[in-house]
């Protein structure tokens, strides 16, 4: 039995985890340095993950059009 790997699926999860992590780090920095409310972190994670999905869609569309 062969397991097929989809590089686009790995790319999607990689982008989402990296941008989600950046959002948490940036949110914690803002909470520590500028005393913003902690729920800002949740909004930032949603924003960054959304940006990641749009970025993935752009990359995947170009990759599929090349095939």
């Amino acid at each position: 039995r062969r397991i097929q790997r989809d590089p686009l699926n790995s790319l999607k999860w990689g982008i989402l985890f990296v941008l989600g992590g950046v959002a948490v780090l940036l949110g914690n920095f803002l909470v520590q340095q500028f005393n913003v409310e902690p729920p800002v972190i949740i909004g930032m994670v949603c924003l960054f993950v959304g940006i990641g999905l749009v970025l993935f869609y752009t990359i995947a569309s170009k990759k599929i059009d090349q095939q």
Side-chain angles (χ1 to χ4, degrees), residues 18-67:
V18 166
L19 288 179
V22 168
V24 170
L25 288 174
L26 185 60
N28 282 329
F29 174 76
L30 292 175
V31 168
Q32 296 273 330
Q33 296 297 319
F34 301 107
N35 295 324
V36 297
E37 296 295 321
V40 167
I41 297 173
I42 296 170
M44 290 184 67
V45 169
C46 293
L47 175 68
F48 278 60
V49 167
I51 290 169
L53 287 172
V54 171
L55 179 65
F56 169 73
Y57 176 79
T58 304
I59 294 169
S61 294
K62 288 181 182 178
K63 181 76 172 169
I64 290 172
D65 287 343
Q66 288 177 354
Q67 293 177 353

